[in-house]
Amino acid sequence: MAQRGRPRGFDRDHALRRAMELFWQVGYEGASLTALTTAMGITPPSLYAAFGDKEALFREAVGLYDRTEGAEADRALWTEPTARGAVREMLLANVAASTDPHKPSGCMIVLAAMTGPARGDQVRAFLAESRRTSAEALRRRLDDGRRSGELPPDTDIDTLAGFYVTVLHGLSIQARDGAGRAALAAVVEQAMRAWPAAGHPPADLVRAGAPTARAGRRPGGPSGP
C-alpha cells in the first residue's frame, strides 16, 4: 500500500485564490515563480506538489476566476427573460466586476496573456479557447432571441455576437486603463442602441442579399417567420 503523503501545511483554496489575483493583476508572464510563492505563502516545492507547475496552476486559477468573478455575467446571460436584457446585464456585470476597487481591474481571461514569448503559446491558446466558448454562449443566446421573434429572422447572429464580444473585451481594456464604472456603463447603453429592432435591423447586421424595408418589406411590419 502506498504511503500517505505528508499533510499540507497551507490552505490550497486560499493559495489558489492568491495566485489567481496575481495572474489577474500582472498576467501569466508577469507572475514569476518567486512572486507566486510569495503571494501564495508557500515554497516552490509546495507549489509543484500541490499544482504541478506554473501553467497547471494558471489553468486552475482561470477555472476559479470563471466560477467566481465570471459567475454573475454568466447568470445574467441565461436568466434574463429577453436576449436584449441578457446581453445588457451581462455587459453591466462585466463592468461591475472590472471596476471593483478591491480587485484587479479588467477581465483576467482577456488580459492575462495577450502577448509574450513563444513559450506562452499554449497558455494563449487556452485563453483564446475560453473566450471562444464564451462567445459561442452569447451567440446561442442571441439565436434564442431570433427564434423567439425578439430579433428579425434575417439578423446576422454571428456578426451581432462578434459586435458585443468586441464591446465586452473593449470594456475590460478600458477598465485596466482606468476608465470608471459610470463611463463604462454609458458605453454599454450606447452599445445597446445598436440592437436590431424587429423589422428594422441595421444594414450591417443583415446578411448580404437579405430583404429590407427598402426592398419592399412594409416599414414596421412583421418580417415573417
Side-chain angles (χ1 to χ4, degrees):
M1 180 182 296
Q3 292 184 339
R4 181 176 298 174
R6 294 175 57 188
R8 288 197 190 102
F10 65 94
D11 183 329
R12 190 182 191 280
D13 291 340
H14 175 73
L16 179 59
R17 174 163 284 278
R18 294 301 304 274
M20 180 196 76
E21 292 169 351
L22 184 63
F23 283 130
W24 188 359
Q25 180 65 52
V26 303
Y28 179 77
E29 293 295 339
S32 67
L33 182 61
T34 299
L36 283 166
T37 53
T38 298
M40 298 166 75
I42 62 176
T43 64
S46 293
L47 186 154
Y48 289 119
F51 299 100
D53 58 19
K54 179 181 174 181
E55 182 177 334
L57 172 61
F58 179 75
R59 288 172 182 263
E60 280 203 51
V62 169
L64 177 61
Y65 182 91
D66 276 336
R67 295 191 303 273
T68 56
E69 307 303 327
E72 184 60 23
D74 288 342
R75 182 207 63 78
L77 195 60
W78 296 110
T79 60
E80 287 293 320
T82 66
R84 187 182 191 282
V87 172
R88 179 178 180 274
E89 291 304 315
M90 179 269 293
L91 292 173
L92 290 175
N94 179 269
V95 167
S98 293
T99 57
D100 186 331
H102 304 295
K103 298 176 181 178
S105 58
C107 172
M108 178 180 172
I109 310 300
V110 173
L111 300 173
M114 294 300 292
T115 61
R119 65 176 180 269
D121 285 350
Q122 288 185 320
V123 169
R124 283 187 289 278
F126 169 66
L127 288 179
E129 181 60 29
S130 179
R131 291 190 294 269
R132 282 191 291 270
T133 298
S134 296
E136 176 58 22
L138 175 58
R139 195 200 67 78
R140 291 199 309 271
R141 187 65 182 90
L142 293 173
D143 196 44
D144 287 346
R146 178 172 61 180
R147 287 188 287 106
S148 70
E150 184 183 350
L151 285 165
D154 51 6
T155 301
D156 186 334
I157 294 299
D158 290 338
T159 300
L160 187 60
F163 170 73
Y164 284 112
V165 166
T166 301
V167 172
L168 180 66
H169 293 175
L171 291 170
S172 182
I173 294 169
Q174 289 293 309
R176 179 57 61 92
D177 285 348
R181 183 170 298 184
L184 295 180
V187 170
V188 171
E189 300 303 341
Q190 183 66 40
M192 296 313 301
R193 293 175 185 168
W195 188 265
H200 292 285
D204 57 348
L205 295 179
V206 177
R207 291 192 296 271
T212 64
R214 291 182 181 178
R217 180 178 299 163
R218 290 180 298 169
S223 54

